[in-house]
Amino acid sequence: PQGMHHSTLDLNSQIVCQAQRATDDKPNIVLIMADDLGIGDLGCYGNDTIRTPNIDRLAAEGVKLSQHISAASLCTPSRTAFLTGRYPIRSGMVSDENTRVIHSLSVPAGLPLNETTFAAVAKKQGYSTALIGKWHQGLNSRYRSDHNHHPYNYGFDYFYGMPFSLFTPCWPDPSRDTELAISCRLWICVQLLAVTALTLTFGKLSCWFRVPWFVILLMILFTFLLCCVWYYSYTSGLYWDCILMREEEITEQPMKAERAGSIMMKEAVSFLERHREEPFLLFYSFLHVHVPCPTMENFIGTSKHGLYGDNVQEMDFFVGKLLDAIDNLGLRNHTVIYFTSDHGGQLESRLGHVQLGGWNGIYKGGKGMGGWEGGIHVPGLLRWPGKLPAGKVIEEPTSLMDIFPTVAALTGGTVPQDRVIDGQNLMPLLQGAVQHSEHEFLFHYCGVYLHAARWNPKDSKYTMWKVHYVTPVFQPPGAQACYETKLCECSGEGVRYHDPPLLFDLSRDPSESTPLTGDTEPLYELVIKTVADAVQAHRKTIIPVQLQLGKELNEDRVWLKPCCGVFPFCLYSP
C-alpha cells in the first residue's frame, strides 16, 4: 500500500541520516567554563583535600594542558578573548579606569556587534548553539529591552542564565523573603491609592464629593512618598543585576541564587536531548565558584575548606551530571568536551577570617593581577574518546583564545580573515601532529596596560621566559595580594614600574619567586631585548577602538535597568 511505502521510505531515510550523523566528521562540542576557579582547587592539578572526581575523570580520559593561560585576569575581558580568539584590547573590552568589567546591567557597554564568536562560526556550519549560565558581555545599550548585547546577537540560538555575574548582594540575604512578599503586593497598593486619589480629585471638581482638598493632597503626597521610599530600597544590585533570563524573557528578578545551578543543569540536559540528532555547540558557563558561592543545602559542610570548598564540590557534581547525560544519550564518542576557568582565584575574597576565594597552587598572585601567574594560569582539559589520547599532559603554552580557531577547525568553518586572530588551532598539538606550541609570545594585560609578556623559544623545549614591566603593589606590606583595595590596580600609585624589567624562567621558577639578573643569567640581555622587540611588534597590530569598559560607556543609566514588569515595579520570583 502507498501509506506503507511512505512509512518504509521515512524509516530508511531516518536510518541513513543517523548513519551519516554517526560517521560525520563534525563532532558535538561542549565548552565548560568555571568562574574564578583557582587551578590549585582541582585534584588533577594537585589538590588532595577538595574532592573533584568528575573533573579529574576528564583529565584521566583526555588531555591536560599544564600551561593554559587566560588572556585577562578578570571576567569580562577574559570571556571576550575566549569568545573571539582575540586579545580584549582589540575589541575595546578593556578599561583605563579601576572598573575593568561590565559593572552592572544598567550600562550600555558590551561586546561590539562586529566581533565574531565561536558560536557564530559553528552556527554558520549548521550547528545548534546554546549558552547556559553566565554571560557578562552586556545586555542593553539604548533602552531597557533592546537587548543589543544579548547572546542571540553573537551566534547563540538559545540562552538561559545570568546576563550579568554573581556578586555579594545576590546571596544570601536573610531579609529577602519578607521583603519580596511585601514588595510583590506593593504595586497593587500604589495603584489603588493612585486610582482613589484621581477619583476623589475628579469627584471634587465635578461637585460629586465633599472631600477636603488637604485630604486629597495628603493622599497624593503619601502615594508619591511610598513610591520614592520603595524605589530607594531597590538601589541594591540584588534587584537589577541578580536576574535569570530564558532567551529574552526575565524568569527571576531577583534570582534565587542557591537553586540556579540545578535549574541551569536541567536546561543543559534538555538542550542535549533536543539536539542529540544534529551537531551542537553548548557553552556551559558556570556561576560557580564566584563569590558569594551560593550552595545547595545538601552540599553545605561537605568539604574541608568551608563554603568555597563546598561550592567547588557542588560544581564538580554538576559536571558529573553533564557528563552522565552525554553518555546516556550515546554521544560520548562524538562529543569534544573542554573544561577551564576564566582566570585565577581571588585571594582577597574572605568571609570573616575564612578564605572565600580560590587557591592558585604554586603560582604567585590571583584574580585581577595582569601579570602574575596566579591570575592567568588556568586549568585546561579536553576529552574526545578515540580522537585524543587519554592521560596525555601537554606542557606547551596554550591560551583560552585558542578555543575560537579550534572550534572553527572542528566544525569545518574558517576564522575571519579581516582581523587579527590571536588564538591558534589546538588540534595538531592535542593529537601529536606537532610537538611545539604555535605561541612563541603571549602578552599579559591589566586593562589597557601591558604588564608582562612570555617567550617560548621555538628552538628550546625546556625554557619559558617571562618578563614583567609592571607589577601590583601588595597591601598591607608583606602580603601577597591587595587586601586593602580588595583588587589590585593596573596603573598609578597602585603599581610598581620595573626598569630594567623583572625576568623569570618559568621552567625553573614557576612560582616567580627569584628574578634573574645579568649576573645570574647569561642570556639576560638577549631575552630582555627579544621580548621588548616582540612587544613593540605586537603593539603595532593594535588598532585603537572605543573602550567599552571606560568611564563613558560603563556608567549606570536608569533607563537601561532590566525589568520584568512595569518599571520600577520589577519583581518576579516563581
Side-chain angles (χ1 to χ4, degrees):
Q2 187 174 2
M4 183 179 294
H5 176 68
H6 282 300
S7 297
T8 304
L9 286 177
D10 291 342
L11 180 60
N12 289 338
S13 297
Q14 185 176 358
I15 292 173
V16 170
C17 288
Q18 289 177 347
Q20 288 176 344
R21 175 74 180 116
T23 58
D24 193 353
D25 289 335
K26 295 182 179 181
N28 304 312
I29 301 171
V30 176
L31 308 174
I32 307 172
M33 176 174 278
D35 196 1
D36 286 21
L37 178 72
I39 192 172
D41 293 325
L42 302 177
C44 54
Y45 282 93
N47 192 305
D48 58 3
T49 58
I50 295 180
R51 297 190 299 275
T52 55
N54 295 298
I55 298 173
D56 296 345
R57 176 156 54 106
L58 280 178
E61 296 174 350
V63 178
K64 182 174 80 170
L65 305 175
S66 67
Q67 298 294 325
H68 204 39
I69 305 299
S70 169
S73 59
L74 285 176
C75 304
T76 298
S78 170
R79 290 164 184 268
T80 295
F82 177 66
L83 287 162
T84 65
R86 289 153 51 85
Y87 287 107
I89 194 170
R90 297 193 189 278
S91 56
M93 293 295 279
V94 290
S95 173
D96 55 1
E97 306 270 336
N98 287 331
T99 303
R100 290 178 274 149
V101 299
I102 291 177
H103 84 89
S104 82
L105 291 179
S106 308
V107 303
L111 182 62
L113 293 173
N114 63 351
E115 289 294 326
T116 301
T117 70
F118 53 66
V121 171
K123 183 176 181 177
K124 193 173 181 180
Q125 297 304 309
Y127 276 66
S128 295
T129 59
L131 165 60
I132 294 176
K134 174 176 174 174
W135 174 234
H136 210 184
Q137 297 292 301
L139 184 60
N140 301 315
S141 63
R142 298 181 302 277
Y143 52 91
R144 72 172 44 88
S145 59
D146 68 10
H147 295 166
N148 195 48
H149 298 301
H150 190 282
Y152 271 174
N153 295 320
Y154 302 94
F156 291 101
D157 297 319
Y158 183 76
F159 170 65
Y160 179 87
M162 195 173 185
F164 188 55
S165 170
L166 279 179
F167 65 128
T168 302
C170 292
W171 182 86
D173 187 353
S175 66
R176 192 176 72 172
D177 292 340
T178 302
E179 186 177 335
L180 287 174
I182 295 173
S183 299
C184 287
R185 295 170 176 81
L186 189 58
W187 174 227
I188 297 174
C189 295
V190 171
Q191 283 181 314
L192 290 174
L193 282 170
V195 169
T196 303
L198 287 172
T199 302
L200 291 176
T201 302
F202 184 77
K204 177 74 172 177
L205 294 173
S206 302
C207 298
W208 293 348
F209 308 125
R210 291 184 178 181
V211 182
W213 278 111
F214 83 89
V215 174
I216 297 175
L217 291 174
L218 189 64
M219 187 173 293
I220 293 173
L221 179 62
F222 179 72
T223 304
F224 178 74
L225 290 175
L226 191 62
C227 285
C228 290
V229 170
W230 182 86
Y231 181 71
Y232 181 75
S233 71
Y234 281 75
T235 55
S236 168
L238 168 67
Y239 302 98
W240 307 114
D241 296 319
C242 301
I243 67 174
L244 288 178
M245 297 181 71
R246 176 179 284 107
E247 299 185 317
E248 296 190 90
E249 178 185 358
I250 297 174
T251 59
E252 292 188 27
Q253 186 176 13
M255 63 190 282
K256 294 183 178 178
E258 65 278 5
R259 73 178 188 181
S262 59
I263 297 175
M264 290 194 307
M265 182 51 58
K266 291 177 183 177
E267 290 283 339
V269 173
S270 176
F271 174 81
L272 297 178
E273 292 172 345
R274 294 196 305 271
H275 299 282
R276 61 187 297 181
E277 300 296 339
E278 60 188 4
F280 61 78
L281 180 147
L282 170 62
F283 176 22
Y284 193 87
S285 181
F286 270 108
L287 303 183
H288 298 67
V289 286
H290 197 291
V291 293
C293 299
T295 307
M296 294 188 298
E297 188 174 345
N298 54 324
F299 279 93
I300 298 291
T302 59
S303 80
K304 299 178 181 179
H305 295 280
L307 181 60
Y308 180 83
D310 299 342
N311 203 237
V312 172
Q313 294 188 171
E314 182 184 67
M315 177 188 68
D316 181 79
F317 168 78
F318 286 130
V319 170
K321 288 288 186 183
L322 191 58
L323 297 181
D324 289 345
I326 291 170
D327 291 351
N328 294 337
L329 291 171
L331 302 174
R332 175 186 176 90
N333 293 334
H334 200 67
T335 302
V336 179
I337 300 176
Y338 167 77
F339 178 89
T340 192
S341 176
D342 54 356
H343 48 70
Q346 184 173 6
L347 303 180
E348 298 90 349
S349 181
R350 293 179 175 272
L351 185 62
H353 296 291
V354 179
Q355 177 76 13
L356 194 59
W359 182 50
N360 300 314
I362 64 173
Y363 303 111
K364 185 174 185 175
K367 175 180 178 177
M369 305 181 200
W372 294 123
E373 287 293 287
I376 56 177
H377 206 125
V378 295
L381 306 171
L382 293 107
R383 188 189 80 178
W384 189 6
K387 300 289 186 177
L388 298 182
K392 182 176 182 178
V393 178
I394 292 178
E395 298 181 355
E396 290 289 305
T398 56
S399 169
L400 292 190
M401 297 183 292
D402 296 339
I403 298 306
F404 178 89
T406 303
V407 166
L410 289 170
T411 61
T414 57
V415 300
Q417 301 299 307
D418 62 346
R419 65 199 66 187
V420 176
I421 300 297
D422 299 295
Q424 302 289 339
N425 177 15
L426 285 175
M427 292 308 296
L429 186 64
L430 296 173
Q431 295 182 317
V434 299
Q435 302 301 315
H436 207 63
S437 170
E438 292 295 321
H439 291 292
E440 184 175 7
F441 299 95
L442 283 171
F443 306 98
H444 309 305
Y445 283 88
C446 187
V448 299
Y449 307 100
L450 193 147
H451 275 201
R454 73 179 64 210
W455 177 27
N456 180 41
K458 291 185 176 181
D459 58 353
S460 174
K461 186 177 180 180
Y462 304 104
T463 303
M464 192 179 305
W465 304 105
K466 177 91 168 285
V467 176
H468 287 264
Y469 300 100
V470 186
T471 56
V473 176
F474 294 150
Q475 358 79 26
Q480 291 298 304
C482 301
Y483 293 102
E484 294 177 357
T485 57
K486 303 302 181 185
L487 203 64
C488 290
E489 298 176 358
C490 295
S491 61
E493 296 181 357
V495 301
R496 183 173 291 111
Y497 298 90
H498 300 283
D499 187 15
L502 304 179
L503 174 63
F504 299 93
D505 180 357
L506 297 179
S507 60
R508 291 180 288 170
D509 183 16
S511 300
E512 298 173 287
S513 59
T514 308
L516 300 172
T517 66
D519 296 330
T520 60
E521 174 52 59
L523 298 177
Y524 179 86
E525 295 295 339
L526 172 65
V527 174
I528 294 298
K529 183 180 186 309
T530 301
V531 176
D533 290 344
V535 167
Q536 185 178 10
H538 164 71
R539 282 179 165 151
K540 289 180 179 179
T541 71
I542 304 297
I543 300 173
V545 295
Q546 184 177 25
L547 297 183
Q548 293 292 318
L549 307 186
K551 189 173 183 180
E552 181 181 351
L553 295 179
N554 207 16
E555 286 193 343
D556 286 330
R557 273 79 157 167
V558 173
W559 59 90
L560 295 183
K561 290 182 181 292
C563 183
C564 65
V566 179
F567 186 84
F569 303 98
C570 310
L571 291 179
Y572 179 71
S573 184

